[in-house]
Amino acid sequence: MPKPVLVVGAGPVGLTMAAELARHGVPVRLVDRLPARDGQSRALAIWARTLELLDIAGCADAFMAAGLRARTLDIHAGRTVLARIAFGAIASPFACLLMLAQPDTERLLEDHLRTLGGHIERGVELTDFVDTGTGVTCTLRHDSGEVETMDAAWLIGCDGAHSLVRRTLGLAFTGATLPTRFILADAYVTGLPTAPDALAMFWHPDGAAMFFPVPGGRYRIIADVGPASVHAPDLRAVQTIVNRRGPGGVTVSDPVWLSAFGVNERRVRDYRAGRVFVAGDAAHVHSPAGGQGMNTGMQDAFNLAWKLALVERGQAGPALLDSYGIERGAVARQVLSDSGRVTRIVLLRNPLARLLRALVVRGVSGLPVIRHMVAAHLSEIMVAYPGSPLNMGDAAGLRGPRPGQRFAPARGHAGAHGPCLTLAATDHDAARALVARHAGLLSPHIRPPPDPRGMWLLRPDGYVAATARADRPQVIDRALERIRAGAPPHRDSGPVAG
């Protein structure tokens, strides 16, 4: 009986990780120290790229049915609209921003995991572990007081910003804390002069007030309150900020959650130490600007799961796993940089800087190409792995994505159970010969290519591993052989597109 992979933490990242491993046929245990799901809404935004990956996993329809589809981001100064970013321009089958409270995201992921034969072991806490070189010996403490020792094949820490896995490994979590704090309220709002499917940000000399619609008729309200340490606000304090910074005539009522928080911008350098990995907030935390934190963590899981499955099945060399940190570390660096930059722009206090900000935003947002670029960037469809050690070939002279880029998905094409790569080609004889040569590693289902003159090798997570001209299938063959052997690692994958 093969040893299971132990995933620690049953938030969105851990649930995605466990479900993807189970879908790929890898034995997995998912544990969480909490006896029940946290009811606070926390993360709300699910962007198009994450929905595309959930579609590959076979569960996007449930998310779309449960969430609220936000269509625009509107930036206001009083009742003047400075800019409007339309999400309908996103080049994806999921051209929207899906708003869904984190407990509902976790519920849907748990339902999905259950259909794959998995479940959460609640009230089970990881207290220690030792990497033996052939596995990981883990100490688990149950709520009953029982202490269990288990042998895991691999350990994945999806256990949040205060990760025990990261701390036990001694991974430095470098970065800084922003010198301002924020208040948060989930409440009913009336009188807001915006569409019910619009995100609204109001700029004011005192700071910003942001309104994000969520299912059930409520809004998430966030406002910066300066460097002073504050406790959770009361409704009166929230209403005062809304009165001063909003468009006027807005009433806040019946809050279900009031909180205050600070913002850290931190990340690890290494995502792996031997047989132990970190993912999600255990590896990177940043400003909520852009709503990309949960999405980035869930995409960590989609990236690692198929690679770990190939290694566990003996179809790829262990060095393949080094590409996880190379690829996702570059993405985290970019997300931290982008979200930090946006946060600092929103928090501008200097009157001249604020005036310049308004002029630039109004002028630039008048260009359709800029609005489309911003929407695509926020949606994460532009995330790519241009310096991945898995990349081979090029797309010079071909219409279509280059190695490391996202291959445009088709709606409703769920991936196979098992971490198969896929060919996109019109030369079916050459493609079938490759499938025969790499049986088990390649799916027998051949997809149409974006250019009949070319051939694309697609990873299970929807990115291009290799491209070649149709008369050079040997390039694809070499790319598959490199994956079997494990691609050679290198330290820095360079900038991330998007």
Side-chain angles (χ1 to χ4, degrees), residues 75-76 181-183 200-211 221-226 241-242 244-246 342-343 345-349 354 357:
I75 301 175
H76 304 252
R181 290 183 63 80
F182 298 80
I183 61 166
M201 179 185 300
F202 292 86
W203 285 346
H204 184 272
D206 287 355
M210 294 159 273
F211 296 80
I221 304 168
I222 297 178
D224 57 295
V225 292
I241 288 174
V242 168
R244 184 161 178 80
R245 301 184 190 182
V342 169
T343 300
I345 290 172
V346 169
L347 297 181
L348 285 173
R349 289 289 186 269
R354 291 199 309 269
R357 175 185 67 184

Side-chain angles (χ1 to χ4, degrees), residues 9-386:
V13 179
L15 281 159
T16 302
M17 189 78 74
E20 282 296 280
L21 289 170
R23 185 169 71 90
H24 293 319
V26 177
V28 59
R29 286 183 69 180
L30 174 61
V31 302
D32 195 285
R33 64 181 180 82
L34 295 177
R37 184 181 300 123
D38 188 335
Q40 294 176 339
S41 55
R42 299 187 184 276
L44 292 175
I46 305 179
W47 283 107
R49 182 56 186 152
T50 301
L51 289 166
E52 290 175 357
L53 291 165
L54 290 169
D55 199 37
I56 292 173
C59 60
D61 287 345
F63 282 82
M64 295 301 289
L68 182 152
R69 304 180 194 192
R71 303 296 183 182
T72 65
L73 165 62
D74 297 340
I75 301 175
H76 304 252
R79 288 186 174 266
T80 301
V81 179
L82 300 177
R84 172 166 292 158
I85 306 299
F87 303 139
I90 297 169
S92 168
F94 302 94
C96 66
L97 168 59
L98 193 71
M99 305 299 287
L100 189 65
Q102 184 169 321
D104 291 321
T105 293
E106 293 176 3
R107 173 181 55 81
L108 292 173
L109 287 170
E110 187 175 358
D111 290 346
H112 176 56
L113 175 63
R114 195 175 295 115
T115 67
L116 297 165
H119 67 282
I120 303 171
E121 298 179 45
R122 295 199 177 276
V124 180
E125 181 179 9
L126 176 73
T127 59
D128 197 12
F129 61 87
V130 176
D131 187 338
T132 65
T134 58
V136 187
T137 301
C138 302
T139 303
L140 302 174
R141 183 171 59 220
H142 295 248
D143 273 356
S144 64
E146 174 193 357
V147 175
E148 174 191 359
T149 300
M150 73 159 287
D151 290 323
W154 308 85
L155 171 63
I156 308 175
C158 305
D159 49 343
H162 302 289
S163 169
L164 176 118
V165 173
R166 185 191 66 240
R167 288 186 282 113
T168 302
L169 290 174
L171 301 179
F173 205 36
T174 56
T177 301
L178 294 186
T180 193
R181 290 183 63 80
F182 298 80
I183 61 166
L184 174 154
D186 281 357
Y188 290 97
V189 172
T190 58
L192 191 65
T194 61
D197 59 357
L199 312 182
M201 179 185 300
F202 292 86
W203 285 346
H204 184 272
D206 287 355
M210 294 159 273
F211 296 80
F212 306 131
V214 294
R218 297 193 311 276
Y219 280 79
R220 163 75 52 85
I221 304 168
I222 297 178
D224 57 295
V225 292
S229 177
V230 296
H231 299 292
D234 58 21
L235 180 61
R236 180 180 298 177
V238 175
Q239 185 68 62
T240 298
I241 288 174
V242 168
N243 290 345
R244 184 161 178 80
R245 301 184 190 182
V250 176
T251 301
V252 182
S253 63
D254 299 323
V256 295
W257 187 29
L258 296 166
S259 183
F261 64 95
V263 171
N264 286 289
E265 297 176 327
R266 301 182 185 277
R267 65 180 180 88
V268 296
R269 180 176 179 272
D270 299 307
Y271 281 53
R272 176 191 181 192
R275 286 183 164 263
V276 184
F277 303 86
V278 288
D281 285 357
H284 45 76
V285 294
H286 51 83
S287 165
Q292 294 177 321
M294 181 179 70
N295 292 266
T296 303
M298 291 171 70
Q299 290 173 41
D300 289 347
F302 283 108
N303 184 289
L304 177 57
W306 71 266
K307 298 171 182 177
L308 196 55
L310 284 181
V311 171
E312 278 293 280
R313 290 159 62 116
Q315 292 178 316
L320 175 66
L321 300 173
D322 290 329
S323 68
Y324 164 62
I326 293 169
E327 293 176 352
R328 297 307 299 170
V331 171
R333 286 197 299 274
Q334 190 69 60
V335 170
L336 262 72
S337 174
D338 292 346
S339 63
R341 188 180 303 115
V342 169
T343 300
R344 286 164 178 80
I345 290 172
V346 169
L347 297 181
L348 285 173
R349 289 289 186 269
N350 181 280
L352 184 59
R354 291 199 309 269
L355 175 61
L356 181 61
R357 175 185 67 184
L359 291 172
V360 170
V361 166
R362 175 176 276 179
V364 169
S365 68
L367 303 173
V369 66
I370 298 296
R371 294 197 303 271
H372 294 169
M373 184 179 69
V374 171
H377 185 81
L378 287 170
S379 72
E380 298 193 322
I381 67 169
M382 299 298 290
V383 167
Y385 306 128

